[in-house]
Amino acid sequence: MNKRCAAMAATALALALSLVACSGSEDDTDSTGSTASGRTVSHIHGLGLDPADQRLYVATHEGVYTPDAEGEPELVGTSRDDFMGFTVSGAKTFYASGHPSSGGNKGLIKSTDAGKTWKSLSLSGESDFHALDFAHGTVYGYDSTNGRVRTSKDGVSWKDGARVAAVDIAVSPQEPGLVLATTADGVARSADGGSTFAKGTKPVMAFLSWAAKDALYGIDTSGRIHRSSDGGSTWKKAATVPGGRPQALTAVDAEHILAATQTGVYESRDGGNAFTKRLAVESSDAH
């Protein structure tokens, strides 16, 4: 798999999953859309709110950003690395993956100071997790280097699961063994922690996020939000997020959603029925 474009699937899930975010570690151009002052971002790969202070964090192709006092994107720490998989696991505690600016794969990394600094936990130079979730004291990851779902209790030792052509994964907040994955056929289900997956069923989603038992959210390739109250068996459509093609989705709780598209990071506090812009994004078609 070409690592530059291993993630070209969300915009082309209808055309066989071309991920929405490609790492370009060998490309020296500033493809985040950042200006000289670093005030704009694009190529978003992950979103989260720190439960310590409810601050928004945005993982991008060149660093992790947070809105400053004026609502403008401010680089967190000093790293301009490509942050791919990204998830908030607790107060000031984040997991991520991706690529160093010098090239290669990060494996799994962890921050305990809200993204200011990062520590390598495992698989450095080997794995690039394009999707990460933390639930039930376990890290769940989709390793794009081998197309395999993997799990770890400590972030160091890993259990290999099934190979599946996926873009994103989501774990049930109630059942540790119930894992969903977005595929070209639709949402694929695993009842054994990712060891096996059934064939995906429609609707086709780009990204998933599961914050509460009766609040599983998906966003399709057009940016339309869908909500399921029964773990993905049935879905109800909500609003379409402004900005077109989706780049990331995070459900903070049963009614609170964050979504990134080509034009911004948007927030809903009513279950996806209405959205307001939290952060501007510079639109870019280059991935």
Side-chain angles (χ1 to χ4, degrees):
M1 183 183 292
N2 183 325
K3 291 178 183 177
R4 266 186 69 78
C5 297
M8 282 180 81
T11 57
L13 261 169
L15 297 172
L17 286 182
S18 12
L19 276 170
V20 190
C22 170
S23 106
S25 52
E26 65 267 39
D27 184 353
D28 291 330
T29 60
D30 186 355
S31 56
T32 59
S34 297
T35 64
S37 63
R39 304 300 277 183
T40 62
V41 296
S42 66
H43 293 283
I44 292 171
H45 304 315
L47 301 167
L49 286 187
D50 187 345
D53 55 11
Q54 298 300 299
R55 179 175 286 276
L56 171 66
Y57 289 87
V58 181
T60 80
H61 185 75
E62 284 195 353
V64 176
Y65 289 80
T66 189
D68 65 13
E70 287 74 42
E72 297 292 335
E74 178 180 47
L75 183 68
V76 178
T78 59
S79 175
R80 287 272 190 170
D81 291 346
D82 182 6
F83 286 80
M84 295 295 296
F86 175 84
T87 189
V88 174
S89 63
K92 300 188 182 299
T93 305
F94 309 159
Y95 288 95
S97 189
H99 311 278
S101 56
S102 58
N105 294 322
K106 282 181 169 293
L108 184 70
I109 59 175
K110 182 178 183 179
S111 174
T112 55
D113 56 8
K116 295 182 179 66
T117 61
W118 294 86
K119 176 184 178 181
S120 176
L121 293 182
S122 59
L123 304 175
S124 178
E126 299 177 32
S127 294
D128 171 22
F129 292 99
H130 278 185
L132 289 169
D133 204 350
F134 183 84
H136 315 292
T138 301
V139 180
Y140 296 75
Y142 180 72
D143 189 345
S144 70
T145 59
N146 54 28
R148 190 184 291 278
V149 173
R150 311 176 77 175
T151 59
S152 176
K153 286 289 187 182
D154 58 6
V156 178
S157 301
W158 291 87
K159 177 184 177 181
D160 287 344
R163 291 185 188 274
V164 57
V167 179
D168 196 19
I169 60 172
V171 182
S172 165
Q174 301 294 318
E175 303 176 45
L178 182 52
V179 183
L180 305 180
T182 58
T183 77
D185 295 316
V187 178
R189 179 181 297 264
S190 172
D192 54 16
S195 294
T196 61
F197 280 86
K199 185 177 180 179
T201 58
K202 296 187 184 307
V204 174
M205 300 293 181
F207 301 103
L208 298 170
S209 191
W210 205 343
K213 181 181 179 180
D214 61 349
L216 166 64
Y217 287 95
I219 187 169
D220 65 26
T221 56
S222 70
R224 184 75 175 261
I225 294 292
H226 301 246
R227 177 172 177 165
S228 175
S229 60
D230 55 12
S233 296
T234 60
W235 296 86
K236 181 179 180 180
K237 293 179 180 178
T240 296
V241 184
R245 296 184 304 179
Q247 297 187 358
L249 176 71
T250 295
V252 180
D253 58 36
E255 300 296 324
H256 191 179
I257 311 167
L258 300 168
T261 67
Q262 286 184 292
T263 62
V265 175
Y266 295 87
E267 181 177 51
S268 172
R269 292 182 177 271
D270 62 2
N273 292 308
F275 283 87
T276 57
K277 183 180 282 190
R278 284 289 309 272
L279 194 70
V281 170
E282 180 172 300
S283 178
S284 173
D285 291 325
H287 295 286

